[in-house]
Amino acid sequence: MKVFVFLAIVGVALAIKCEVGSYVNGKGLTVSTDCTSLFSKCKSYSKTVGSIKTNFHSCGTCDPKDNDDCKDCSTDLCNGAASYSYIMLPLLVISAWLLAY
């Protein structure tokens, strides 16, 4: 049982979840996505063409081709409006307790 809990936590620690999608002039959609092991960060940036502004959210690090407002981060769902990384601390405490006993 303890080994299973430990492996589950290690698996969660290795994968990052990012918001993936886009908004055009404030309307759009992002979805929570498990990124592959190739990515360790999430990013968000915007591009404006004429009067149309598009905000992009995806897996990966900022690229020089992205606009100056590109931001990347390395916690789950850090590139969107919602953030659920606060749940990791209680999970780590519970798993440490299970491993100790």
Side-chain angles (χ1 to χ4, degrees), residues 7-28:
L7 291 175
I9 289 174
V10 168
V12 168
L14 294 177
I16 187 167
K17 283 187 164 207
C18 297
E19 294 290 335
V20 175
S22 62
Y23 287 88
V24 178
N25 286 339
K27 295 181 181 181

Side-chain angles (χ1 to χ4, degrees), residues 61-78:
T61 57
C62 288
D63 182 302
K65 297 174 189 169
D66 297 335
N67 284 359
D68 292 336
D69 69 344
C70 185
K71 296 179 183 109
D72 55 18
C73 50
S74 56
T75 58
D76 285 340
L77 303 173
C78 59

Side-chain angles (χ1 to χ4, degrees), residues 1-65:
M1 175 69 175
K2 292 178 186 178
V3 172
F4 176 73
V5 171
F6 179 73
L7 291 175
I9 289 174
V10 168
V12 168
L14 294 177
I16 187 167
K17 283 187 164 207
C18 297
E19 294 290 335
V20 175
S22 62
Y23 287 88
V24 178
N25 286 339
K27 295 181 181 181
L29 178 69
T30 60
V31 293
S32 174
T33 304
D34 286 322
C35 297
T36 65
S37 61
L38 299 174
F39 300 107
S40 61
K41 291 188 173 187
C42 305
K43 69 178 180 176
S44 61
Y45 63 97
S46 65
K47 293 206 180 256
T48 303
V49 177
S51 63
I52 300 173
K53 181 178 181 181
T54 305
N55 296 319
F56 297 95
H57 303 267
S58 62
C59 301
T61 57
C62 288
D63 182 302
K65 297 174 189 169

